[in-house]
Amino acid sequence: MSSSLALRQARRLSTTAAAAAVTTATTAGGSTSSTISVSKAKSKLKTVFDPDKALEIYSSVSPHYTSPFSSRYTQEYTVRRLLKSHRFSDIESFLESHKRDPKISQEPFLCSLIRSYGIAGMFDQALNTYNQMEELGTPRSSISFNALLYAGIASKSFNRVPELFDEIPKRYGFSPDKFTYGILIKAYCEMGSPELAIERLKEMEEKGVEITAVTYTTVLHSLYKKGEDGEAEKIWSQMVETGRHLDVGAYNVRIMNLHGENPENVKGLIEEMNSNGLKPDTITYNYLMTCYGRNGMMEEAEQVYKDLAENGCKPNAATFRTLIFYLCKKGRFETGYQVFKESVRVHKMPDFNTLKYLVEGLVKKSKMKEAKGMIRTAKKKFPPNVVKAWEKLQKELGLVNADEDGANSLNSNQT
């Protein structure tokens, strides 16, 4: 038997076994040999990239912890791991097995399957699951419909969302709520049609449906993205007039569309946020850092990074990506390497392209030990599909002995 055939068979067995374990545990009250809580499973799934291991972790969750809401995220993490390996048939087998669970008659439980199909890009299966609700004995309301529309967004089937919005509530006799409208407006904006989204905003006002801050912000971002600044300013004025819709997210969208300009403009908006009782978050300061970087003001950018904790914020992966990128542009690769080590320490490493830029710079500066140490660490932290890219870069830069020569480079900063 070839190794590839053996692997495929092992995968099928693993998926089947995991699905059976979940079904047995939830239908018969049984448990796997070593059960864990949902929170423990979520923690493990965040660091596991092998889909078969992810299935094992999912199947080990104690049935005591498998309420529809608590288990949703572990299910979605597992689907994402299978998706990374393009194992669509395994995703379908995994999710379909849940339809034999007695909890399928609970609407939130079925909603988790619809959402997961959307995340996997399998919108037809999501719609089929929704259409099976009578057969499965599951009540229908705007909750499951919202899950279906979410699946349309997640699977990038944006054009299906308006069609379903106009069709399904009439068919089943329920009214769209503020979240239903919010998802519809998101679909229009993703389709590049914010003008249609604005029409729906007017419809919401006429029908007395609450317009959330998130919905307003979605339209605002779409208008800025399309270059319709005048219309965006009209929406902003409406938000300012009501006062109810101004939140950190709205300000961040406004800042994002200014951060390539004068840093003083960004700082002015941050001061305005503070005066309105809003606390800037990490995203806000990332934009300010980007603005400084684009203007070549690296001392100021680094100071923003250093002041994050004082401002009650923690750096995220985008923080490290931004700072490392602009440090590299200035040729400050050694400083970039120190920032990289901190990103490893707090488990917020930037993306491959940013770190590739840094590794190449270290090699140019003859910092071979640091470059080798970086690659060694990255190969441990990135998923298998990205590890291949690191291995290719390793060969291109002549760092084929990175695992040996760089073994001790980051020891003091590893956790």
Side-chain angles (χ1 to χ4, degrees), residues 123-135:
F123 184 72
D124 287 340
Q125 288 86 338
L127 181 57
N128 181 58
T129 300
Y130 183 81
N131 289 333
Q132 289 178 326
M133 291 180 73
E134 286 92 354
E135 176 187 336

Side-chain angles (χ1 to χ4, degrees), residues 226-409:
K226 201 174 179 181
E228 297 182 8
D229 290 5
E231 289 299 317
E233 290 305 308
K234 289 180 183 178
I235 294 293
W236 180 259
S237 296
Q238 292 176 24
M239 296 170 74
V240 171
E241 286 172 12
T242 62
R244 293 180 293 114
H245 303 107
L246 289 179
D247 61 6
V248 175
Y251 268 102
N252 282 345
V253 166
R254 194 162 169 79
I255 288 171
M256 181 176 63
N257 290 278
L258 292 173
H259 74 272
E261 301 175 11
N262 191 326
E264 293 303 315
N265 292 340
V266 178
K267 288 174 66 178
L269 281 173
I270 291 176
E271 290 172 4
E272 185 179 314
M273 290 174 70
N274 285 315
S275 66
N276 286 332
L278 297 172
K279 186 176 180 296
D281 61 11
T282 301
I283 296 172
T284 315
Y285 290 114
N286 284 350
Y287 286 139
L288 179 58
M289 190 188 308
T290 299
C291 188
Y292 281 133
R294 285 187 173 183
N295 285 275
M297 304 166 67
M298 288 311 300
E299 287 186 12
E300 289 82 352
E302 289 180 83
Q303 193 60 50
V304 172
Y305 168 68
K306 293 173 182 176
D307 290 344
L308 280 176
E310 184 179 323
N311 288 318
C313 300
K314 293 181 180 180
N316 58 22
T319 308
F320 291 111
R321 180 182 70 240
T322 300
L323 187 54
I324 289 173
F325 173 76
Y326 285 110
L327 285 169
C328 288
K329 282 197 74 172
K330 285 289 187 178
R332 296 177 57 190
F333 301 108
E334 294 92 337
T335 304
Y337 177 66
Q338 296 303 316
V339 175
F340 162 74
K341 289 199 292 183
E342 178 61 16
S343 78
V344 174
R345 190 185 70 80
V346 298
H347 307 290
K348 300 292 181 183
M349 285 176 62
D351 60 290
F352 170 79
N353 289 328
T354 301
L355 296 183
K356 177 176 180 285
Y357 192 11
L358 177 56
V359 170
E360 290 172 339
L362 290 170
V363 171
K364 287 179 183 177
K365 290 281 188 177
S366 299
K367 297 291 183 180
M368 307 303 286
K369 180 181 178 182
E370 288 81 356
K372 291 176 179 179
M374 268 194 69
I375 289 183
R376 174 179 175 272
T377 300
K379 286 169 68 176
K380 289 182 178 180
K381 300 291 184 180
F382 279 84
N385 59 317
V386 184
V387 169
K388 292 179 180 178
W390 279 113
E391 290 173 345
K392 181 181 177 183
L393 179 64
Q394 186 178 356
K395 291 177 181 178
E396 290 174 353
L397 297 177
L399 302 173
V400 291
N401 294 322
D403 290 343
E404 297 174 7
D405 297 341
N408 299 316
S409 181

Side-chain angles (χ1 to χ4, degrees), residues 46 55 84 91 113 186 190 223 281 314 335 349 361 404-405:
K46 287 180 181 179
L55 285 164
K84 283 281 187 182
I91 291 172
L113 304 185
K186 172 72 171 175
E190 290 290 347
L223 289 168
D281 61 11
K314 293 181 180 180
T335 304
M349 285 176 62
E404 297 174 7
D405 297 341

Side-chain angles (χ1 to χ4, degrees), residues 38-58 61 70-85 91 94-95 112 115-117 119-120 150 348:
V38 168
S39 60
K40 182 68 173 177
K42 284 170 61 177
S43 178
K44 285 188 172 185
L45 286 166
K46 287 180 181 179
T47 59
V48 167
F49 298 104
D50 181 272
D52 294 313
K53 288 183 179 177
L55 285 164
E56 290 174 12
I57 293 168
Y58 181 88
V61 176
S70 65
S71 62
R72 187 184 101 189
Y73 296 102
T74 55
Q75 183 183 106
E76 291 180 4
Y77 272 123
T78 305
V79 167
R80 290 180 193 279
R81 295 300 179 255
L82 290 165
L83 180 63
K84 283 281 187 182
S85 298
I91 291 172
F94 172 66
L95 293 177
S112 69
R115 289 173 58 92
S116 290
Y117 270 130
I119 289 168
Y150 168 86
K348 300 292 181 183

Side-chain angles (χ1 to χ4, degrees), residues 7-178:
L7 178 59
R8 286 198 297 274
Q9 289 188 353
R11 282 176 172 173
R12 284 197 295 272
L13 287 170
S14 175
T15 303
T16 304
V22 173
T23 304
T24 300
T26 54
T27 59
S31 61
T32 58
S33 58
S34 178
T35 59
I36 59 175
S37 67
V38 168
S39 60
K40 182 68 173 177
K42 284 170 61 177
S43 178
K44 285 188 172 185
L45 286 166
K46 287 180 181 179
T47 59
V48 167
F49 298 104
D50 181 272
D52 294 313
K53 288 183 179 177
L55 285 164
E56 290 174 12
I57 293 168
Y58 181 88
S59 67
S60 69
V61 176
S62 168
H64 181 67
Y65 295 100
T66 53
S67 70
F69 290 106
S70 65
S71 62
R72 187 184 101 189
Y73 296 102
T74 55
Q75 183 183 106
E76 291 180 4
Y77 272 123
T78 305
V79 167
R80 290 180 193 279
R81 295 300 179 255
L82 290 165
L83 180 63
K84 283 281 187 182
S85 298
H86 305 285
R87 289 168 56 176
F88 297 102
S89 62
D90 285 347
I91 291 172
E92 189 164 8
S93 296
F94 172 66
L95 293 177
E96 288 298 307
S97 72
H98 289 71
K99 293 180 182 178
R100 299 191 294 272
D101 190 310
K103 288 195 292 294
I104 195 65
S105 62
Q106 300 175 29
E107 192 175 17
F109 185 86
L110 182 136
C111 287
S112 69
L113 304 185
I114 293 175
R115 289 173 58 92
S116 290
Y117 270 130
I119 289 168
M122 303 168 73
F123 184 72
D124 287 340
Q125 288 86 338
L127 181 57
N128 181 58
T129 300
Y130 183 81
N131 289 333
Q132 289 178 326
M133 291 180 73
E134 286 92 354
E135 176 187 336
L136 296 169
T138 316
R140 229 188 216 100
S141 73
S142 61
I143 295 173
S144 50
F145 183 51
N146 291 347
L148 179 61
L149 296 190
Y150 168 86
I153 298 291
S155 62
K156 301 188 185 303
S157 304
F158 306 121
N159 61 317
R160 305 286 295 275
V161 173
E163 297 171 4
L164 294 169
F165 182 92
D166 291 333
E167 172 190 339
I168 288 184
K170 292 177 183 176
R171 184 193 303 173
Y172 293 109
F174 61 83
S175 299
D177 60 21
K178 62 182 178 181

